[in-house]
Amino acid sequence: MRDELQALIDSLAERLGRSVTIDDPELRLIVYTSHRGIVDKVRLDSILHLQPAEEVVRHIRSLRLGGEREDVIRLPAVPEMEMLARACAPLRAGGEHLGQLIVIDAEDNLSDAERQMIADTARSAALVMHREKLLNDIAAERVRALLRDLIEEDDRVRDVAGRALAAMNDDIRPPFRVSVLELRRDELDPDSVEEQTAVVDHLVRRATRHAPGTVHLTRSDHVLILHPKASDQYDLTLQTLSQIRTEVIRGLGVDGDLHTGVGDRVSTLQRVRHSYLQSRRALYVAVAVPGFGPYVEWSGIGVYRALAELASAGLASGVVPEGIHELMQTEAGIELLRTVEIWLDQATDVRRTVELLHVHRTSVYYRLNRFTELTGLDLQNGGERLAVHLGLKLARLEGSYQAPLPRGSVPRPAARVQP
């Protein structure tokens, strides 16, 4: 596509004796000609950084070029931005705004014939871009289908999908790692879920455009991201995840608490399901237990790996001591459980528990004793203490117990992925 677009604008620039560029709808530079005639700082910045300065982007977006129906629009100069006047031809095809063709026109002296050349070139460029978009959409749908097959239980289905996916792109090479980003569907209007999924899919595709071989699948409540050539240091994984998370948060206008689960590396595409299940479990823990931060690795959550397996299998309720279930029914009982949980998280360090709860030392001892009186569970007994601790964590994972924890009460795992 780029070669065809380049040939089109080189020919136009030669005939006009002016500089020409083509941007995408987000004003990112796609192709540009060598300098001809007068140029300005905006053009130079765009070539150097592949996008104009943020204030220029905001200004041009405010003009809503995608809604214009004219073939060629004049954009007035903006001296404070060191931006000369321009002739702009929106690129439209298939009912979509695909970008814009820009010609610097500082003197406002384009003839009607020259304006027609610009319009004709823009139409040809739009058809090239529309064709490329259709091909990309077909390829993306094929990738989505193969990713769905890669996480199926059937070994034969995964084997066929793995070989097909590897054949599609030379950048899809081992080792692999899967990460998942949560999507909060409960915050959306049910009638807008399909539209929102398309928006997320576009945002993720945009965020991964500079990550060769990275492919994704947007599902109802999460985005699956397959990272190829996964380094042991997580550098590329973290970079890609950060870009995706930032794009989704900004694009959807949600708060910054979206969590991400990261699975272990696997050596083949046929083993991607293994990493995917780990990433889902890690995300499950990150959402249910405060204190883990936005990026949570399966390999860094310690005992929560076993607890997550129990909870996902629906076995949590049977493991949680009955006395804990009873205390969950009242606010006073929940406060007792919260104190016991924080005390256990701090390895029974009363001094640290007092600091986190901001209460007197005697209050902590009173609550611990009261817990034993009401439940019959002896916190001085190592076995029962372990049962209580695991029970509270399982109750959190299954959602029956959600008492807030003070910042710093749950030590973060020693993970290599950091915000």
Side-chain angles (χ1 to χ4, degrees):
M1 178 188 77
R2 288 179 182 273
D3 289 344
E4 292 180 82
L5 294 179
Q6 190 69 58
L8 285 170
I9 65 170
D10 283 344
S11 174
L12 179 63
E14 180 71 30
R15 288 178 288 162
L16 296 179
R18 301 169 188 258
S19 300
V20 184
T21 61
I22 290 180
D23 304 326
D24 70 9
E26 302 298 323
L27 302 178
R28 288 186 295 266
L29 189 64
I30 298 176
V31 288
Y32 63 95
T33 64
S34 58
H35 295 325
R36 295 172 182 269
I38 302 173
V39 297
D40 60 11
K41 184 176 183 297
V42 170
R43 173 180 163 84
L44 295 175
D45 283 348
S46 180
I47 293 172
L48 181 61
H49 303 294
L50 301 183
Q51 189 170 22
E54 185 60 35
E55 62 175 349
V56 177
V57 172
R58 286 196 298 269
H59 168 68
I60 295 179
R61 282 177 178 167
S62 71
L63 302 177
R64 301 185 182 281
L65 300 178
E68 288 285 349
R69 305 314 305 174
E70 295 180 39
D71 290 336
V72 181
I73 308 156
R74 180 169 173 77
L75 306 183
V78 185
E80 59 270 26
M81 296 182 187
E82 300 183 59
M83 174 178 166
L84 298 173
R86 283 156 161 70
C88 171
L91 304 179
R92 307 186 192 90
E96 293 186 80
H97 174 223
L98 302 172
Q100 43 277 327
L101 183 153
I102 302 289
V103 177
I104 291 182
D105 182 27
E107 305 299 329
D108 191 16
N109 59 357
L110 286 168
S111 67
D112 289 344
E114 288 173 326
R115 290 174 65 85
Q116 188 60 51
M117 289 181 202
I118 294 172
D120 291 343
T121 302
R123 277 191 286 273
S124 297
L127 290 175
V128 170
M129 295 174 72
H130 182 58
R131 182 196 65 205
E132 184 73 9
K133 183 179 183 302
L134 291 176
L135 291 174
N136 287 340
D137 287 346
I138 292 170
E141 184 55 42
R142 174 63 174 154
V143 167
R144 283 192 285 268
L146 292 174
L147 275 180
R148 282 192 290 267
D149 287 348
L150 276 182
I151 58 178
E152 287 291 324
E153 291 187 23
D154 193 309
D155 292 344
R156 291 168 298 178
V157 171
R158 296 204 305 274
D159 183 60
V160 171
R163 284 188 277 110
L165 187 59
M168 288 184 68
N169 190 330
D170 289 340
D171 288 312
I172 302 178
R173 289 291 176 262
F176 304 97
R177 176 177 288 112
V178 173
S179 64
V180 291
L181 174 70
E182 71 168 322
L183 297 177
R184 300 187 193 134
R185 294 306 186 189
D186 57 329
E187 296 179 0
L188 302 177
D189 181 338
D191 295 333
S192 68
V193 169
E194 186 174 343
E195 178 183 347
Q196 204 75 27
T197 299
V199 170
V200 171
D201 203 66
H202 170 72
L203 293 170
V204 178
R205 188 163 56 248
R206 186 167 71 187
T208 57
R209 66 188 183 278
H210 298 311
T214 300
V215 292
H216 72 279
L217 173 65
T218 304
R219 311 199 86 181
S220 62
D221 60 350
H222 68 276
V223 181
L224 181 164
I225 305 107
L226 175 64
H227 306 268
K229 304 175 185 176
S231 101
D232 187 47
Q233 298 304 314
Y234 288 78
D235 294 343
L236 294 178
T237 301
L238 172 59
Q239 182 181 11
T240 302
L241 285 178
S242 298
Q243 290 168 344
I244 291 172
R245 189 169 174 273
T246 299
E247 285 280 3
V248 172
I249 288 172
R250 182 188 299 136
L252 295 184
V254 299
D255 63 40
D257 289 335
L258 290 183
H259 297 89
T260 306
V262 183
D264 289 343
R265 290 192 308 166
V266 293
S267 58
T268 67
L269 284 170
Q270 289 75 10
R271 290 277 295 162
V272 159
R273 172 181 163 83
H274 182 68
S275 184
Y276 170 66
L277 294 177
Q278 290 177 335
S279 65
R280 291 297 310 275
R281 299 283 192 271
L283 177 61
Y284 178 44
V285 171
V287 172
V289 182
F292 278 104
Y295 305 101
V296 179
E297 300 171 43
W298 172 255
S299 60
I301 60 176
V303 70
Y304 279 103
R305 285 178 294 190
L307 298 181
E309 294 293 340
L310 286 172
S312 65
L315 301 176
S317 297
V319 177
V320 179
E322 186 59 32
I324 290 179
H325 281 299
E326 292 176 359
L327 285 180
M328 290 178 192
Q329 308 310 310
T330 66
E331 290 186 13
I334 290 174
E335 187 59 30
L336 288 181
L337 293 177
R338 179 170 176 264
T339 299
V340 170
E341 182 182 14
I342 294 171
W343 177 70
L344 291 171
D345 285 343
Q346 305 313 307
T348 71
D349 184 337
V350 173
R351 181 188 61 79
R352 179 65 178 149
T353 304
V354 166
E355 292 175 356
L356 290 168
L357 286 173
H358 303 291
V359 297
H360 195 275
R361 188 182 188 90
T362 56
S363 295
V364 172
Y365 284 121
Y366 169 78
R367 294 176 187 179
L368 296 177
N369 290 331
R370 185 62 176 158
F371 171 85
T372 296
E373 290 175 4
L374 293 174
T375 64
L377 296 166
D378 184 3
L379 294 175
Q380 301 305 311
N381 180 291
E384 291 197 1
R385 187 164 63 235
L386 176 60
V388 169
H389 204 182
L390 293 179
L392 288 169
K393 297 309 182 186
L394 281 169
R396 275 197 181 278
L397 290 178
E398 72 169 359
S400 60
Y401 166 66
Q402 299 176 340
L405 293 174
R407 182 180 297 274
S409 64
V410 179
R412 285 198 180 187
R416 286 164 288 184
V417 174
Q418 296 298 330

